[in-house]
Amino acid sequence: MTMRRMISICLTLVLAAVLFTPALAAEQTTAAAWTRSEGDGSYVTIRLSYPEGSDLSYSEQEGLVARYADTGEPIALSSSLYGEYFFATVPADNAGRPIEVYPATPARFEDCITVWQGVEYESDLPIGAKELNVRGVVNGTGGGNLSPDASLTRAEAFAMIVRLLDLPAPSDQSWEGLGNKTWFSDVPQDAWYYDTASAALAAGIAAEDVRFNPNRPVTRAEFTVMVARAFRTLGWLESSDADLRFADADAIPAWALDAYRDLDAHGVSITTVEFADEPDAYGDIATTFLAEPGKTATRGEVIEFLYNALRFLPCYPTEAAIAWGFDKEMPVIDGSTSTYPYTTTLFNTMFINCDCHPNFPQSHSKSYYSYDRLISGEADLLIISTKPTEDTLAKAKEAGVELELTPIAYDAMVFFTNSENPVDGLTMDQIRTIYVENPYTNWTELGGPDAAFIPYCRNMDSGSQAQMEEFFLKGDEIHPDIRRETTSVSMASVLTDVAGAYQEDPLTYALGYSIYYYYQSASQILLGENELKLLEINGVYPTDETIADGSYPLSGYNYAVVRADEPKDSPARRMVDFLLSEGGQICVQNAGFGPLDPQDTAF
């Protein structure tokens, strides 16, 4: 599971822990409803508000479901509880019907009940079985059993998808009524799955073929494709180019590959997990993930798979997103490597399952290239750690673009060395001499120990290069020998390069530079404790306080950058305003950066 997926899941679980009262009159719920058209307009999502409830247990939450108030029919595409809200997605033709949240009682599945010492416990109950049961998607196999280990036929699998999407059978099931699609030769008109097959075929969930194969057990690959088609119908599944995590990815048939890639990018898949018999040299147990696409899918696997898709694929707006208009349109955001936590925090603040938003970036393009994207119009907003370089300003001028920078947080340029180095600080004059003239080979020449001196620099298209230009180079260049021999090509590698340069014989210490808040987080992740240390500059040590009050001489800001011709009420400008608001500055802090003094912001 990716870190991004974990962040999204954690946010979902935190929000879902806030509970609601399940009973409001239908007129009350729909009066304040937020709505959004889905996919090609065939569906509408409605948000129901429940601000007063806080007394439900988790098991009671499992039974909550949105339903049509006029008939009591459950709405399959119902969300879990998020904060004060519950979301329901219905066919567009039903969007005007009154909707309420109802505390239904999930079915009791006898084969998933264990009695121990006179007390009943649920055992082997698939995750999501209760939720999908009260939504009308999952039924038992008769006799009060769920049979989670039993196989599922293709007809049964399609029936679950048809119930989930509330797909009606076409009123005209002739060749013309089905869009001139070939009817299945093995689906007689009196079969229980006749309407299921026609609904799935008309909606494009079942592929056009001469046979439906209703009684054949559905494979994992087949059900994966069914789910992908269903959620693409809703507009909730984007194409992905992410690498598949499965060790047997080569076994996935070509017709299922896109479905696997798109779903697994969000942690939604049927997966077999194998563990090594013995731990490795570090004490870790190796884990192998297998798709086993040709394997028959069990009822339990299908239930958990479908429930996870319903939990993790819809991207719902939060109250903040709606209040600021980002539910309608989010700006395309890019920026520095070090500022990517801003973007993930912003999206997590604005959306549930934010990584499913079409504008969610998998990474930033780095400072230099993100400025290029803003100048060309590919990006709407940059969250950046550095001012533009002279080269970038020249590109902007040539393109007739003026860049507008707004400080949104405190940050600073910092220098660091190996923690064993007794040198505690350098002056700005010394640093300029080091990088422009390159005269030093030993730390003794800088007032330090008898140890070899290695200065590392960053690549020309980095944000740190822009910091060097601003504070030290002043029109000069980094010495070509340093540039040729000790350039670190990424923000992470400059940390590991400096740490790795340490030697005892001959004694060697290195020097490097980065951005304060990136250093604070990344050095712990990459290197652990006590590998590197920050240096004082002109006698002042970089801290949150010395950076905020400006006494640290390399203090600066992170910026939100837009084109000066950006329209007044555009999503990009509204995001700048949000970042300067109280809520936006909380995002700054939650992203691990230094919020501005309130006197310097709009709140």
Side-chain angles (χ1 to χ4, degrees):
M1 183 176 294
T2 64
M3 181 62 70
R4 177 168 56 80
R5 176 75 261 165
M6 291 172 64
I7 291 171
S8 180
I9 292 172
C10 289
L11 178 70
T12 299
L13 294 178
V14 168
L15 290 171
V18 185
L19 312 180
F20 305 79
T21 358
L24 285 179
E27 292 77 15
Q28 291 176 299
T29 59
T30 56
W34 166 93
T35 65
R36 178 181 69 194
S37 178
E38 304 288 10
D40 63 0
S42 299
Y43 291 84
V44 173
T45 294
I46 300 169
R47 186 184 69 160
L48 310 174
S49 177
Y50 295 88
E52 299 177 358
S54 60
D55 299 326
L56 299 180
S57 67
Y58 178 75
S59 61
E60 288 171 325
Q61 289 183 66
E62 291 177 314
L64 288 182
V65 64
R67 69 176 185 177
Y68 296 111
D70 52 357
T71 63
E73 177 189 1
I75 296 171
L77 292 168
S78 296
S79 75
S80 300
L81 291 167
Y82 298 115
E84 295 183 357
Y85 302 105
F86 197 93
F87 295 89
T89 300
V90 300
D93 291 344
N94 293 335
R97 293 172 63 181
I99 297 174
E100 63 186 3
V101 175
Y102 174 69
T105 301
R108 173 188 170 92
F109 297 112
E110 297 296 337
D111 58 342
C112 295
I113 300 293
T114 298
V115 179
W116 185 70
Q117 294 186 348
V119 179
E120 289 187 349
Y121 297 91
E122 290 177 341
S123 59
D124 300 322
L125 186 68
I127 296 171
K130 289 183 177 180
E131 290 87 346
L132 292 182
N133 173 250
V134 297
R135 285 160 174 75
V137 178
V138 169
N139 301 320
T141 56
N145 293 327
L146 183 64
S147 305
D149 296 327
S151 62
L152 195 73
T153 67
R154 281 171 49 86
E156 290 169 333
F158 275 114
M160 292 175 65
I161 300 294
V162 166
R163 293 182 204 127
L164 181 74
L165 295 184
D166 195 8
L167 294 174
S171 56
D172 178 6
Q173 296 184 4
S174 66
W175 188 64
E176 293 83 2
L178 289 168
N180 296 337
K181 295 179 179 178
T182 302
W183 182 245
F184 305 113
S185 62
D186 56 353
V187 180
Q189 193 164 2
D190 59 351
W192 71 263
Y193 46 81
Y194 183 85
D195 284 350
T196 291
S198 59
L201 180 61
I205 306 300
E208 183 178 359
D209 202 343
V210 295
R211 296 183 63 81
F212 189 59
N213 296 309
N215 298 315
R216 179 164 59 76
V218 70
T219 67
R220 289 180 170 187
E222 288 172 334
F223 195 73
T224 297
V225 171
M226 292 180 195
V227 171
R229 288 174 180 164
F231 282 86
R232 287 195 183 106
T233 297
L234 296 164
W236 291 354
L237 185 62
E238 297 285 328
S239 296
S240 171
D241 58 0
D243 293 333
L244 285 166
R245 59 178 170 153
F246 304 111
D248 60 344
D250 290 345
I252 297 173
W255 51 265
L257 196 57
D258 286 345
Y260 268 95
R261 184 179 289 110
D262 298 345
L263 287 166
D264 193 55
H266 301 289
V268 179
S269 62
I270 301 178
T271 308
T272 300
V273 183
E274 293 184 347
F275 300 96
D277 294 332
E278 300 291 338
D280 61 20
Y282 301 97
D284 298 323
I285 301 293
T287 304
T288 302
F289 299 98
L290 300 173
E292 298 186 299
K295 186 176 181 179
T296 297
T298 68
R299 291 174 57 83
E301 289 173 340
V302 162
I303 288 169
E304 292 192 4
F305 183 24
L306 198 55
Y307 178 61
N308 284 336
L310 189 56
R311 288 177 65 200
F312 298 140
L313 295 184
C315 181
Y316 298 125
T318 65
E319 186 67 17
I322 295 171
W324 287 84
F326 297 126
D327 60 312
K328 305 299 184 186
E329 185 179 4
M330 272 289 281
V332 176
I333 302 175
D334 205 344
S336 310
T337 302
S338 64
T339 60
Y340 185 61
Y342 282 110
T343 298
T344 57
T345 302
L346 284 172
F347 270 87
N348 268 307
T349 300
M350 297 297 169
F351 300 99
I352 299 157
N353 293 332
C354 67
D355 60 338
C356 293
H357 192 284
N359 281 6
F360 182 85
Q362 302 301 317
S363 63
H364 278 179
S365 301
K366 301 197 302 185
S367 300
Y368 186 86
Y369 297 111
S370 63
Y371 271 116
D372 284 351
R373 294 190 70 220
L374 183 66
I375 292 168
S376 69
E378 296 176 71
D380 303 317
L381 169 73
L382 305 186
I383 301 177
I384 209 90
S385 61
T386 60
K387 293 179 180 178
T389 64
E390 292 298 325
D391 182 48
T392 294
L393 290 173
K395 287 182 180 180
K397 184 177 181 180
E398 182 179 355
V401 172
E402 183 180 349
L403 301 175
E404 188 175 304
L405 282 73
T406 302
I408 58 169
Y410 297 121
D411 209 341
M413 185 180 191
V414 292
F415 286 79
F416 49 88
T417 186
N418 307 95
S419 57
E420 296 84 357
N421 190 345
V423 172
D424 291 323
L426 296 169
T427 68
M428 291 183 68
D429 286 341
Q430 286 176 317
I431 293 171
R432 173 176 165 78
T433 300
I434 289 168
Y435 283 97
V436 174
E437 301 177 20
N438 192 29
Y440 307 124
T441 59
N442 194 288
W443 281 91
T444 57
E445 301 167 275
L446 293 163
D450 183 10
F453 173 71
I454 302 177
Y456 279 89
C457 72
R458 286 296 317 284
N459 45 304
M460 291 290 290
D461 58 358
S462 68
S464 298
Q465 169 68 16
Q467 296 275 32
M468 285 294 288
E469 290 180 1
E470 178 181 355
F471 288 115
F472 297 103
L473 299 182
K474 308 297 184 183
D476 289 322
E477 299 288 342
I478 288 178
H479 194 278
D481 289 346
I482 298 176
R483 178 68 67 198
R484 181 177 61 254
E485 296 172 11
T486 52
T487 293
S488 296
V489 296
S490 71
M491 295 190 76
S493 65
V494 72
L495 299 175
T496 55
D497 287 344
V498 171
Y502 169 69
Q503 291 184 169
E504 292 184 356
D505 187 19
L507 188 60
T508 303
Y509 302 125
L511 176 70
Y513 52 87
S514 188
I515 308 300
Y516 175 74
Y517 283 103
Y518 177 81
Y519 172 91
Q520 293 291 76
S521 60
S523 63
Q524 298 300 312
I525 295 172
L526 295 171
L527 302 171
E529 297 284 346
N530 303 320
E531 288 280 343
L532 301 173
K533 69 176 184 179
L534 293 177
L535 294 173
E536 296 176 354
I537 304 298
N538 288 357
V540 181
Y541 188 78
T543 65
D544 291 348
E545 293 73 25
T546 60
I547 291 170
D549 66 23
S551 58
Y552 177 69
L554 305 183
S555 296
Y557 297 98
N558 289 159
Y559 301 93
V561 188
V562 297
R563 295 164 58 119
D565 61 357
E566 186 71 38
K568 183 177 180 180
D569 192 40
S570 68
R573 287 204 180 275
R574 275 187 274 116
M575 185 59 77
V576 176
D577 291 341
F578 173 75
L579 283 164
L580 294 177
S581 72
E582 184 173 6
Q585 288 293 293
I586 292 173
C587 285
V588 166
Q589 189 168 23
N590 289 342
F593 295 86
L596 298 174
D597 188 309
Q599 295 181 353
D600 298 331
T601 62
F603 60 87

